[in-house]
Amino acid sequence: MAKIVVIGSGVAGLIAAAEASRHHEVILVTKANLAESNTHYAQGGIAAVVSTDDTIAEHVADTMFAGAGMCWEPAVEVLCAEGPGRINDLVNFGVEFDRTGADFAMGLEAAHSHARILHAGGDATGAVTSNALVETVRRTATEIREYTFVADIVVDNNHVTGVQVLDADGMQFIAADAVILASGGAGQLYRHTTNPAVTTGDGVAAAFRAGAELADVEFYQFHPTALAVPGSFLISEAVRGEGAVLIDANGERFMQKIHPLAELAPRDVVARGIQRTMIEQGGQPVLLDATALGSDFLAQRFPSITKACRSYGLNWGRDPIPVTPAAHYWMGGIATDTFGRTSIPGLYAVGEVACTGAHGANRLASNSLLESIVFAHRAVRALGEQWPEDAPSVRWANAAPLAELELLEPDHTTTAQVVDRVELQTLMWDNVGLARTKSELESALTQLHSWRPADPAHRLFPDWEDANLLLLARTVTEAALAREESRGGHYRLDFPDTDPAKARPITLVRKA
Ligand SMILES: Cc1cc2nc3c(=O)[nH]c(=O)nc-3n(C[C@H](O)[C@H](O)[C@H](O)COP(=O)(O)OP(=O)(O)OC[C@H]3O[C@@H](n4cnc5c(N)ncnc54)[C@H](O)[C@@H]3O)c2cc1C
């Protein structure tokens, strides 16, 4: 029986813990309570081919198309082919998907050629999934450590030996035969994000410090429609899938002029369309008009959004609601092969923390919960197997990366100012956000270099998070500077075209 440490309790960590507990000793470490994660807030659903008029090949094709030439096809094939089996597992874990009669009720979302989005509790797919898995893991894991912060990953002799964790008793070491990192994304890099406070990219930063290779970090997906109120509550893509339209301050639809798929164009196109319209109308948010769907339908199909609108004094069955883009999903992360294996033997990365290559430059809506489930399951299947020497570089065996960046730890002895999170988030939003330029990226880097993290000896959870955000902000900015083209979730105003010769990943490692 091996000792496996799973980090994070979103869907990826919960699936990994539940599956690994069948054969191993499992310690699940999570920095808040077990139910807190991005997963918990997921609304629209999980994409998978479960109806007879849909095919795996079409799901693959839609995913590849959205990924803007950057998807790694073997990962996409695994994602789509293993999806139906993993949906079956979720049902067995007690997830009750919405149904029409005996069949799953299927939603349509942007850039999907079929209605293939399974949902639960109307628009509460994440919460329903998380609740069922939390219950399972409470029964099956050997030990659960909530409110325990993973600070660093410990590597000895080119193999993971465990993790350094911080809790109320201070810093401790937990030994492990293997570590499954499932600590999610880094929405908190940006001033406006749909992500909850726990998404500070700690796992990516810790893996990077430990020497793991990152990839595709310049690709950040901005969701087109967050409610234009503090907290940026997400208005799911599924609302547009059901027929809601975007209108400008004059009440005119504008997406039809920008893309043939109009409101259902890929996310980056819609997000930039909204941003451009907002600039044209002096920064005023655009409006999402769902009134044609009727109050009764909206309340029944989207109960959480209806409740959120009401809490801000909005009646979306009667009036169009103000929306704006917000940072939503990080396509980049720790580079892995199709079994979640990173460049450090014994360290697996699954879910949003990982970059499997399945999303390419732009994630297809509702493919991220699916990716978390599929690859968490595969990582557990691979436990105990020989670590392949080519993980994860198997991905670029046929075409070398566009750039292999090595980041030097800055010399902080001369930097006085400890990083302030709001200032960092504002800088990232303004200079490294939806539309980027060389000069803004360079100026962001200069500013980032002028900040230092708090002294490691005296760090509490938020200080570790700020240190991690500072490190990751540098990686995103460096990669965004190196990619002199526009593609998916990376748009350069000074290089607005996509260059087919650049459809290769940018990788990053820490310079020793
Ligand atoms: C509002 C919203 C709606 C979404 N809707 C959809 C949707 O409909 N369909 C879809 O496919 N995707 C959706 N997504 C994206 C999707 O929810 C995430 O990509 C997915 O849930 C990621 O799962 P995960 O397990 O990798 O990470 P998370 O669910 O983010 O879990 C990460 C876990 O790691 C823990 N953690 C983090 N750092 C540390 C640390 N240092 N030490 C210990 N623990 C740590 C966190 O506390 C958390 O428990 C949505 C996201 C948001 C924010």
Side-chain angles (χ1 to χ4, degrees):
M1 218 189 209
K3 184 170 166 187
I4 313 298
V5 171
V6 176
I7 302 166
S9 55
V11 68
L14 292 168
I15 289 282
E19 293 294 346
S21 300
R22 297 183 202 273
H23 304 288
H24 305 284
E25 182 187 345
V26 170
I27 302 179
L28 176 61
V29 182
T30 192
K31 74 174 172 183
N33 67 61
L34 207 51
E36 183 57 359
S37 60
N38 246 348
T39 299
H40 195 83
Y41 301 92
Q43 296 176 357
I46 309 179
V49 175
V50 294
S51 74
T52 45
D53 64 342
D54 195 3
T55 65
I56 303 289
E58 284 168 289
H59 191 185
V60 168
D62 293 346
T63 304
M64 301 284 292
F65 181 72
M70 284 293 296
C71 289
W72 185 41
E73 201 161 353
V76 179
E77 279 170 0
V78 159
L79 175 81
C80 301
E82 295 192 10
R86 298 295 76 79
I87 294 293
N88 209 24
D89 293 350
L90 287 183
V91 172
N92 292 334
F93 281 126
V95 178
E96 290 185 16
F97 288 107
D98 296 333
R99 290 181 184 262
T100 311
D103 297 331
F104 291 121
M106 307 292 268
L108 176 68
E109 287 187 355
H112 283 274
S113 57
H114 283 269
R116 62 165 77 96
I117 317 302
L118 291 98
H119 45 85
D123 58 359
T125 310
V128 172
T129 305
S130 163
N131 291 345
L133 293 171
V134 161
E135 229 176 85
T136 304
V137 168
R138 283 213 190 274
R139 279 196 318 271
T140 56
T142 316
E143 188 185 345
I144 293 172
R145 294 186 58 167
E146 293 173 279
Y147 303 101
T148 303
F149 190 100
V150 173
D152 269 317
I153 292 160
V154 183
V155 180
D156 192 22
N157 247 333
N158 195 33
H159 198 282
V160 160
T161 55
V163 289
Q164 287 289 352
V165 301
L166 183 66
D167 68 8
D169 296 326
M171 193 67 91
Q172 303 139 51
F173 176 68
I174 304 179
D177 296 308
V179 170
I180 302 182
L181 195 47
S183 51
Q188 293 299 324
L189 275 171
Y190 289 99
R191 187 83 184 92
H192 303 287
T193 179
T194 60
N195 291 192
V198 290
T199 55
T200 48
D202 305 329
V204 184
F208 185 73
R209 281 193 295 271
E213 191 167 19
L214 311 187
D216 293 349
V217 295
E218 68 277 26
F219 296 116
Y220 215 105
Q221 185 172 83
F222 292 85
H223 198 288
T225 54
L227 209 51
V229 295
S232 309
F233 187 86
L234 178 77
I235 306 297
S236 166
E237 198 115 55
V239 176
R240 279 172 283 130
E242 296 289 356
V245 295
L246 289 161
I247 54 176
D248 62 17
N250 300 319
E252 302 286 332
R253 281 178 77 182
F254 52 89
M255 279 310 301
Q256 289 163 317
K257 289 177 234 148
I258 296 174
H259 195 280
L261 291 172
E263 282 83 2
L264 295 181
R267 279 189 178 166
D268 62 305
V269 177
V270 182
R272 279 197 305 278
I274 293 175
Q275 190 196 35
R276 199 189 321 156
T277 307
M278 284 174 65
I279 291 169
E280 282 165 9
Q281 54 190 42
Q284 230 183 305
V286 301
L287 297 168
L288 181 70
D289 187 351
T291 53
L293 301 178
S295 298
D296 290 348
F297 175 80
L298 290 172
Q300 174 253 321
R301 174 71 177 89
F302 302 110
S304 314
I305 302 176
T306 303
K307 201 167 141 204
C309 284
R310 258 196 231 124
S311 73
Y312 291 105
L314 299 166
N315 178 348
W316 72 325
R318 190 189 61 200
D319 307 311
I321 50 171
V323 291
T324 172
H328 186 56
Y329 183 85
W330 200 9
M331 274 72 73
I334 307 163
T336 71
D337 69 3
T338 59
F339 286 92
R341 291 178 291 221
T342 69
S343 56
I344 302 178
L347 179 66
Y348 298 79
V350 292
E352 195 168 335
V353 76
C355 175
T356 60
H359 305 305
N362 201 14
R363 171 191 72 124
L364 183 65
S366 285
N367 262 359
S368 48
L369 290 173
L370 182 69
E371 186 205 36
S372 302
I373 297 160
V374 165
F375 289 91
H377 193 272
R378 286 173 69 86
V380 172
R381 264 155 49 199
L383 285 170
E385 277 181 13
Q386 176 82 21
W387 203 267
E389 267 181 28
D390 62 358
S393 60
V394 57
R395 279 175 53 183
W396 32 91
N398 296 331
L402 180 61
E404 295 173 284
L405 306 179
E406 290 192 355
L407 244 66
L408 199 62
E409 273 294 295
D411 173 12
H412 288 306
T413 50
T414 53
T415 2
Q417 198 188 336
V418 173
V419 61
D420 173 271
R421 189 176 305 188
V422 174
E423 282 184 36
L424 179 138
Q425 291 169 328
T426 306
L427 178 73
M428 290 297 286
W429 183 259
D430 291 344
N431 290 33
V432 198
L434 275 111
R436 303 156 174 183
T437 63
K438 182 171 193 250
S439 63
E440 284 181 350
L441 292 167
E442 281 177 344
S443 129
L445 265 186
T446 307
Q447 182 66 63
L448 290 169
H449 282 295
S450 76
W451 291 327
R452 69 176 168 84
D455 180 353
H458 305 290
R459 282 185 199 166
L460 301 176
F461 286 14
D463 307 309
W464 274 100
E465 292 177 340
D466 289 347
N468 292 335
L469 288 170
L470 179 59
L471 175 60
L472 297 180
R474 285 183 55 221
T475 65
V476 175
T477 311
E478 292 278 9
L481 251 180
R483 184 169 292 282
E484 295 187 327
E485 63 155 355
S486 292
R487 179 188 293 278
H490 168 74
Y491 189 77
R492 289 277 301 257
L493 281 166
D494 44 357
F495 295 96
D497 298 326
T498 302
D499 178 351
K502 295 194 166 114
R504 289 172 289 137
I506 292 175
T507 61
L508 290 101
V509 285
R510 192 191 69 162
K511 193 162 185 163

